[in-house]
Amino acid sequence: MPGIDKLPIEETFEDSPQTRSLLGVFEEDAAAISKYSQQLFQAMHRIYDAQNELSAATHLTSKLLKEYEKQRFPLCCDDEVMSSTLQQFAKVIDELSSCHAVLSTQLADAMMFPITQFKERDLKEILTLKEVFQIASDDHDMAINRYSRLSKRRDNEKVKGEVMEDVYTSRKKQHQTMMHYFTALNTLQYKKKISLLEPLLGYMQAQISFFKLGSENLTQQWEDFLTDIGTSVQNVRREMAGEVDVMQQTIQDMEQANDLLYMPDPDPSLVPVNRNLTRKAGYLNTRNKTGLVSSSWDRQYFFTQGGNLMSQARGDVAGGLVMDIDNCSVMAVDCEDRRFCFQITSFDGKKVAILQAESRKDCEEWIATINNISKRIYLSENPEEIAARVNQSALEAVTPSPSFQQRHESMRPSTQGRPQAARASSVSSAGSETASPALSVLSLDALVAPNTPIQFDIISPVSEEDAGQAKAAGQGRTNPFGESEGTPAEESEGSILHQLFIARFLGCMEVRNADSSDVIYETMRQILAARAIHNIFRMTESHLLVTCECLKLIDPQTQVTRLRFPLSSVVLFASHQENKRLFGFVLQTAEGRVDGRPIIVCYIFESNNDGEKICDSVGLAKQIAFHSEMDRKATEKKKEQDKAKEKQQEELSKQKQIEKVSQKIYQNHNIVSYSH
């Protein structure tokens, strides 16, 4: 072809510097062609890969559309129109997939094969010949160098012959290799144009064939079908736009309605507590023990289902049973590391759950809801209406009194009468509807009078009477138990038993009798219910000192005695069998009323310890006091007997002395008479 420079094959034998310089230009051109061809090959290979991927994806799409009618979508009913439409689409796309497969085959044959041949065969041949020519040229240079160093003497003909043979062989090899190399470089100029034009020609022919095949398959019938489908899509889009507008309006309404609920602890005056619920759901934190003294909190979704409390972790398919809350007891508790906590105890006392709500309102609603479920209100036809009536009745029946001092002053126990104390343990839940055997005979009204005020606080830290005694004694210093010197503290100092417990005062109320421990259980139930209804969560913590003479409530900060109960007035004490931390005792005084009837008051406490241990301590104190009293009476009786014996001995001694004196006087009288 004119205009293409050639490497002169005739000058290969001379191997002049000009020839070598021209060879370097052709080698640079071959390297540039190789680099460009590699880039073009990568681009065309991407086209081929993309076409293969398109063919495979089109075939997979057709396959999935055919399988639509076999799918079972949870939110979609059987739609025959949709299924038939997708089947028609699958048919069209399947035909297109066949066209794409044909196009892929044509691209492989007409586009990829020529450029691959040029890259793998022609360019590699140039590189191979270049390496062979370089080796032959180096061998020729070495042979010429050895030949040039031959000696002039004739005695080394053998070596000279070997060198000359080496020069002949290397020169011939270099010449032949150089001629083939020049020929390949000259031919590359023609192959370059063929390798560029032939793949492009194959690509264009394959595309034209593909478009012709597609136009033959997509007839007017398919165009009408696609037009109808486009109209249907527009209708669905308009329906979606209308639905989106409705949902956006719902979102705005919900945001305005729930704006106050976004705060974790909303104001109760703005978001009132609903105490008439019989169903509730929401997230709570539950406490799990991880060791003897350590625990962890897990956040789970809790909900009520009939008489059961269920929980479900995020990601779980269904909820699991936490406990049966029929006839259970629920109360707010004070946790050291968490707020808004409440405790649920099952009816048999075997399960206890401590949960934390997000807010005070949420905590109160959970407590009220579980209380309503515990009473089995959910089984009625109108549970919320019945719950409202029950809560209103409880609100009217239980009216807490703000003052504790007046009742305590009017009910100050005296030391008269020492009835035997009863010791019992609980057999039913404080919130249970099933009564104990004693309650089957005695009604609740026989235990606690309706509308009885409840005292929740301890206002006076020390009674005025004790303060007056301290002033009269003239001593300003107090001992660790908050008593002045010369006051009843001397009694506790001489006591055999000293046991100290931490107790939180829940409340007290007057009861009608102290015949059964059911009085304490019913008082517990009413006080806990009243605290829940009136949102009273604060409890006064004190140190309960048990001695053989009295029970004392001592301020843990100031060590001042808040209340003092003579042990002789404690006629009944019991702990709750299910909630081990609850205990109470009943005080009875013989005086205090105008009609002379005794005053009976039940005090309820919560402790960190087991309530039975505290009751056992009180029982032990009463036994020690009883035996001490019996020993004291026996000692006094023995003293009286000894005193009577001493008095009798004195009388006998006096009688003997009188007899001796009489006898002596008689003897003297006889002597005088004889002398006369």
Side-chain angles (χ1 to χ4, degrees), residues 437-453:
L439 283 179
S440 62
V441 180
L442 299 173
S443 64
L444 297 181
D445 292 344
L447 300 176
V448 180
N451 303 326
T452 302

Side-chain angles (χ1 to χ4, degrees), residues 58-68 90:
T58 308
H59 177 71
L60 179 60
T61 303
S62 174
K63 181 180 179 182
L64 291 175
L65 292 178
K66 292 178 181 178
E67 294 177 353
Y68 176 81

Side-chain angles (χ1 to χ4, degrees), residues 481 498-505 541-547 550-556 562-565 570 583-585 603 605-607 609 611 613-615 617-618:
F481 299 111
H498 284 84
Q499 287 190 341
L500 196 65
F501 303 95
I502 297 177
R504 288 176 289 277
F505 180 70
E541 185 170 283
S542 304
H543 288 170
L544 177 63
L545 177 64
V546 180
T547 67
C550 63
L551 304 180
K552 288 184 180 181
L553 289 179
I554 302 173
D555 191 323
R562 288 172 170 164
L563 292 176
R564 182 178 181 276
F565 308 107
V570 180
F583 71 97
F585 54 83
Y603 294 82
F605 297 87
E606 181 190 37
S607 175
N609 306 91
K613 293 182 179 179
I614 300 177
C615 292
S617 179
V618 176

Side-chain angles (χ1 to χ4, degrees), residues 616-629:
D616 290 339
S617 179
V618 176
L620 178 61
K622 291 189 72 66
Q623 289 181 7
I624 294 175
F626 175 75
H627 290 298
S628 298
E629 181 67 17

Side-chain angles (χ1 to χ4, degrees), residues 284-311:
L284 297 172
N285 293 324
T286 176
R287 187 169 73 176
N288 300 318
K289 285 190 175 181
T290 57
L292 294 177
V293 295
S294 60
S295 60
S296 63
W297 293 84
D298 295 331
R299 180 177 170 85
Q300 292 185 358
Y301 185 80
F302 285 79
F303 60 94
T304 60
Q305 192 175 69
N308 297 325
L309 179 65
M310 315 288 289
S311 70

Side-chain angles (χ1 to χ4, degrees), residues 642-654:
D642 293 342
K643 190 175 182 180
K645 288 181 180 180
E646 290 178 358
K647 189 175 182 180
Q648 186 177 3
Q649 291 292 336
E650 289 179 358
E651 291 292 334
L652 291 174
S653 175
K654 288 181 180 180

Side-chain angles (χ1 to χ4, degrees), residues 368-653:
T369 303
I370 294 174
N371 267 327
N372 294 335
I373 295 175
S374 175
K375 300 172 185 175
R376 298 187 177 182
I377 297 177
Y378 66 93
L379 297 175
S380 57
E381 294 182 359
N382 298 317
E384 292 191 2
E385 182 179 345
I386 295 177
R389 290 204 304 265
V390 171
N391 290 328
Q392 184 64 28
S393 300
L395 185 63
E396 294 174 355
V398 185
T399 304
S401 175
S403 176
F404 182 85
Q405 185 175 4
Q406 295 178 356
R407 174 173 295 277
H408 177 63
E409 294 296 333
S410 63
M411 299 179 183
R412 183 178 302 279
S414 64
T415 57
Q416 299 179 4
R418 295 177 179 266
Q420 184 69 23
R423 177 71 180 95
S425 56
S426 173
V427 294
S428 66
S429 172
S432 174
E433 294 177 357
T434 59
S436 63
L439 283 179
S440 62
V441 180
L442 299 173
S443 64
L444 297 181
D445 292 344
L447 300 176
V448 180
N451 303 326
T452 302
I454 299 176
Q455 316 299 337
F456 294 111
D457 55 354
I458 302 176
I459 296 178
S460 177
V462 64
S463 64
E464 296 179 0
E465 179 180 348
D466 291 340
Q469 291 177 359
K471 291 180 180 178
Q475 301 292 337
R477 183 175 62 86
T478 58
N479 63 16
F481 299 111
E483 300 286 352
S484 302
E485 293 183 357
T487 63
E490 297 175 353
E491 300 175 2
S492 42
E493 289 178 357
S495 175
I496 300 175
L497 180 66
H498 284 84
Q499 287 190 341
L500 196 65
F501 303 95
I502 297 177
R504 288 176 289 277
F505 180 70
L506 295 177
C508 68
M509 60 188 300
E510 187 175 353
V511 296
R512 289 190 169 182
N513 63 72
D515 299 333
S516 170
S517 58
D518 293 314
V519 175
I520 298 178
Y521 307 149
E522 177 61 20
T523 306
M524 288 179 180
R525 189 192 68 80
Q526 291 202 20
I527 289 178
L528 293 178
R531 278 182 167 269
I533 291 174
H534 295 283
N535 304 328
I536 301 174
F537 301 101
R538 182 179 178 275
M539 294 179 287
T540 303
E541 185 170 283
S542 304
H543 288 170
L544 177 63
L545 177 64
V546 180
T547 67
C548 297
E549 289 78 23
C550 63
L551 304 180
K552 288 184 180 181
L553 289 179
I554 302 173
D555 191 323
Q557 300 295 331
T558 62
Q559 299 299 319
V560 174
T561 300
R562 288 172 170 164
L563 292 176
R564 182 178 181 276
F565 308 107
L567 198 62
S568 59
S569 300
V570 180
V571 297
L572 190 66
F573 47 90
S575 64
H576 202 288
Q577 187 178 12
E578 298 163 8
N579 189 351
K580 301 294 185 180
R581 300 165 66 184
L582 294 180
F583 71 97
F585 54 83
V586 178
L587 265 70
Q588 178 175 328
T589 60
E591 298 177 354
R593 295 187 184 274
V594 178
D595 55 4
R597 290 188 294 110
I599 298 176
I600 307 174
V601 183
C602 183
Y603 294 82
I604 304 300
F605 297 87
E606 181 190 37
S607 175
N608 294 340
N609 306 91
D610 192 345
E612 287 200 10
K613 293 182 179 179
I614 300 177
C615 292
D616 290 339
S617 179
V618 176
L620 178 61
K622 291 189 72 66
Q623 289 181 7
I624 294 175
F626 175 75
H627 290 298
S628 298
E629 181 67 17
M630 295 298 294
D631 292 342
R632 185 186 63 80
K633 290 183 177 180
T635 303
E636 290 180 354
K637 185 176 181 180
K638 185 177 180 181
K639 287 182 178 180
E640 290 178 357
Q641 291 176 352
D642 293 342
K643 190 175 182 180
K645 288 181 180 180
E646 290 178 358
K647 189 175 182 180
Q648 186 177 3
Q649 291 292 336
E650 289 179 358
E651 291 292 334
L652 291 174
S653 175

